[in-house]
Amino acid sequence: MVAGDQTEEKRPAPLGAVIDAVDRLIPPALRHDREEKMRARVLVASSIGIGLLVTVSQTIRAFTLPITATFFSGVAVIIFFYALPWFQWVTRSSRLAGGVLSLALVLALPAIHYQVHHFPAPVLVFFPAVPVVATFFVGIRLGLVAVLALAGAVVGLVRALPWGLSPEYADYTPTLAASAAVCTAICYLLAVVYERNHRRNEADLKRINQELAAARARAEEADRRKTEFLRHMSHELRTPLNAIVGYSELLTEELEEGDPEPRADAEKIGAASRHLLGLINDLLDISKIEAGAIALHFEEFAPTELFTDLEGTLAPLASGNGNRLTLDVDAALGVIRSDRQRLHQILLNLAGNACKFTRDGAITVRCRRDGDAQVTFEVADTGVGIDPARQSEIFEPFVQVDASVERRRQGTGLGLAITRKLVEHLGGTISVRSALGQGSTFTFALPRAGPSTG
């Protein structure tokens, strides 16, 4: 059995309104289990439906026949059926209310038949429905009790009441009695088959859900261990690499006025070490974010100051490929509250990618006020662009924008994944607009006062 409200199929508005009205008569305790909710719905709908049917019939009877004790019996039946949803609400049990309904039908139908004073009466056609109702609400065993009780009632009625008025009709009375008993049993058997198949399906579904939950738990644990491994290994690898970078810089300085060939080799060592260190830093960042270990330090600062620092870093990257760099920040924006270091990292990631994938073009970084509560950043370029078919996946970890560029740049595919996660941690959202050969524009919006703590 699957717990929790399930997403229901779309249904026509009138039907949806009826179901919503029925659901308001169901106790809240029964709405969180699919099986209980279904039984409660059936009980409310059948009780009100039968109550309305009897109400109409008794109203017509009041205007066409004398008022007798039978009429007041019908009124009692109306009250009973209208009271069943209330009884279910009070007891918070669809099975208990359904059992009362089943018992009432088992007792009432033979009694009504007996009041007609001959066999068979039209009420006999309702006998086969009772085991179905009983099996649905209270289970197979009590459904069998209902079958035996009604079969016994048929035998008792056919012996206690006079048969049909005409001799020809009376001859078929034993056959009708047997048919009524057999039909009741057949309907019960069909209900049993349905109920057993339903229980088997529910058991299979529960088992599958448990297996999926266990598999998900194992996958999450494996992912957690992978993240921890990357985080620790990144630290272990970064320490010796920092030493290599430092020694390569010292070696380059010492060889500055000597033989150019050893100096070039030292520069290659330094460049390769810095590149590898950058990849490891990306792994460390993504592992920290996924492990929830990233630390954010919010403060108030002016975006103009941030852009001044950013220009000094980006200018050499942009000019290296012959690009024009433009930084445009709204001077009237004032101050915002965010993590300055992480915002600098986000803009550097986006603008750095723009510089890599653009040659002899333009790189533009903008910051503007977007209403009273939001600030929007844009990083636009006129570079190679991104295939529309891949734009939905570029923010996923280890996804490269283009295989040919990957071979030239040897990146990890983590930059945009880290950028998106950082933007989300800062309370914002990020999107991209791009076309092949026409460049790309990355836009992210952040709350001016920092992320909501609610």
Side-chain angles (χ1 to χ4, degrees):
M1 188 175 294
V2 180
D5 288 335
Q6 304 295 319
T7 302
E8 298 181 1
E9 297 180 356
K10 292 183 178 180
R11 52 194 179 229
L15 178 59
V18 172
I19 293 179
D20 291 340
V22 169
D23 286 348
R24 283 194 287 270
L25 299 177
I26 297 176
L30 301 182
R31 298 175 189 170
H32 302 295
D33 185 278
R34 186 177 65 181
E35 281 297 303
E36 289 293 339
K37 186 175 182 180
M38 179 182 67
R39 295 181 194 277
R41 275 180 175 176
V42 172
L43 185 130
V44 171
S46 59
S47 299
I48 294 177
I50 295 175
L52 289 174
L53 178 63
V54 179
T55 299
V56 172
S57 65
Q58 289 298 102
T59 301
I60 296 174
R61 186 187 187 286
F63 286 99
T64 57
L65 295 173
I67 301 297
T68 62
T70 304
F71 173 79
F72 293 104
S73 298
V75 174
V77 171
I78 294 173
I79 296 173
F80 169 79
F81 279 106
Y82 284 153
L84 270 180
W86 170 82
F87 181 74
Q88 177 178 254
W89 185 282
V90 172
T91 60
R92 298 179 182 178
S93 173
S94 61
R95 292 185 179 273
L96 184 57
V100 172
L101 172 62
S102 302
L103 178 62
L105 292 175
V106 169
L107 297 177
L109 290 182
I112 294 173
H113 190 293
Y114 185 79
Q115 288 182 353
V116 179
H117 298 302
H118 68 81
F119 187 94
V123 74
L124 190 64
V125 299
F126 296 106
F127 279 38
V130 179
V132 177
V133 173
T135 304
F136 176 77
F137 282 110
V138 292
I140 295 174
R141 293 182 179 179
L142 292 179
L144 178 59
V145 172
V147 172
L148 297 177
L150 289 174
V154 171
V155 174
L157 289 171
V158 77
R159 297 185 63 180
L161 296 177
W163 294 359
L165 299 179
S166 64
E168 295 83 1
Y169 187 73
D171 291 340
Y172 289 96
T173 298
T175 303
L176 291 173
S179 299
V182 170
C183 285
T184 303
I186 290 175
C187 289
Y188 166 72
L189 292 176
L190 292 176
V192 168
V193 171
Y194 169 81
E195 187 69 17
R196 286 184 173 174
N197 286 338
H198 180 70
R199 289 183 181 181
R200 188 180 298 111
N201 292 337
E202 287 295 324
D204 290 343
L205 182 60
K206 183 178 180 179
R207 176 180 54 79
I208 292 172
N209 285 339
Q210 290 174 343
E211 291 175 355
L212 289 175
R216 178 177 179 179
R218 290 194 297 270
E220 289 176 348
E221 176 64 16
D223 185 68
R224 186 190 65 81
R225 292 182 179 180
K226 179 266 297 180
T227 299
E228 287 295 319
F229 171 78
L230 288 177
R231 188 156 64 94
H232 291 306
M233 287 303 299
S234 297
H235 279 296
E236 295 296 329
L237 291 172
R238 192 164 60 167
T239 301
L241 273 174
N242 280 323
I244 295 173
V245 171
Y247 282 119
S248 66
E249 290 176 352
L250 289 175
L251 186 59
T252 301
E253 291 178 2
E254 292 180 1
L255 297 174
E256 188 169 351
E257 297 183 2
D259 190 344
E261 186 174 348
R263 183 174 181 275
D265 291 337
E267 290 176 347
K268 291 178 181 177
I269 293 173
S273 300
R274 284 190 294 271
H275 177 69
L276 184 56
L277 183 61
L279 301 184
I280 292 174
N281 284 335
D282 283 347
L283 286 173
L284 181 60
D285 277 343
I286 197 71
S287 61
K288 279 184 177 180
I289 293 172
E290 290 182 348
I294 184 173
L296 299 176
H297 304 283
F298 289 93
E299 58 179 321
E300 291 188 350
F301 59 91
T304 51
E305 300 173 1
L306 178 66
F307 271 52
T308 300
D309 297 339
L310 192 66
E311 184 175 14
T313 306
L314 289 178
L317 295 176
S319 61
N321 282 342
N323 296 314
R324 300 184 312 276
L325 176 64
T326 302
L327 284 83
D328 180 14
V329 58
D330 184 0
L333 180 60
V335 297
I336 64 174
R337 185 174 183 274
S338 189
D339 187 313
R340 179 170 180 162
Q341 179 184 354
R342 295 301 180 181
L343 183 54
H344 184 278
Q345 181 180 356
I346 292 169
L347 291 170
L348 188 60
N349 280 349
L350 295 176
N353 281 344
C355 292
K356 289 179 183 178
F357 302 138
T358 305
R359 290 185 179 275
D360 301 321
I363 313 295
T364 304
V365 184
R366 298 188 183 91
C367 175
R368 66 177 185 275
R369 183 170 180 169
D370 189 2
D372 294 332
Q374 193 167 260
V375 58
T376 299
F377 296 85
E378 283 187 359
V379 178
D381 64 66
T382 57
V384 296
I386 304 171
D387 187 349
R390 306 205 63 190
Q391 290 180 20
S392 61
E393 60 184 26
I394 60 173
F395 291 108
E396 298 299 324
F398 308 108
V399 172
Q400 294 284 349
V401 173
D402 182 76
S404 61
V405 175
E406 175 190 355
R407 287 192 295 269
R408 294 199 307 267
R409 303 299 178 187
Q410 296 296 314
T412 60
L414 288 173
L416 290 178
I418 293 172
T419 297
R420 183 186 68 173
K421 291 181 180 294
L422 288 177
V423 169
E424 291 173 349
H425 275 74
L426 296 180
T429 57
I430 187 170
S431 60
V432 60
R433 303 189 312 274
S434 183
L436 286 176
Q438 299 180 22
S440 305
T441 300
F442 288 84
T443 305
F444 65 95
L446 299 177
R448 293 189 63 193
S452 173
T453 57

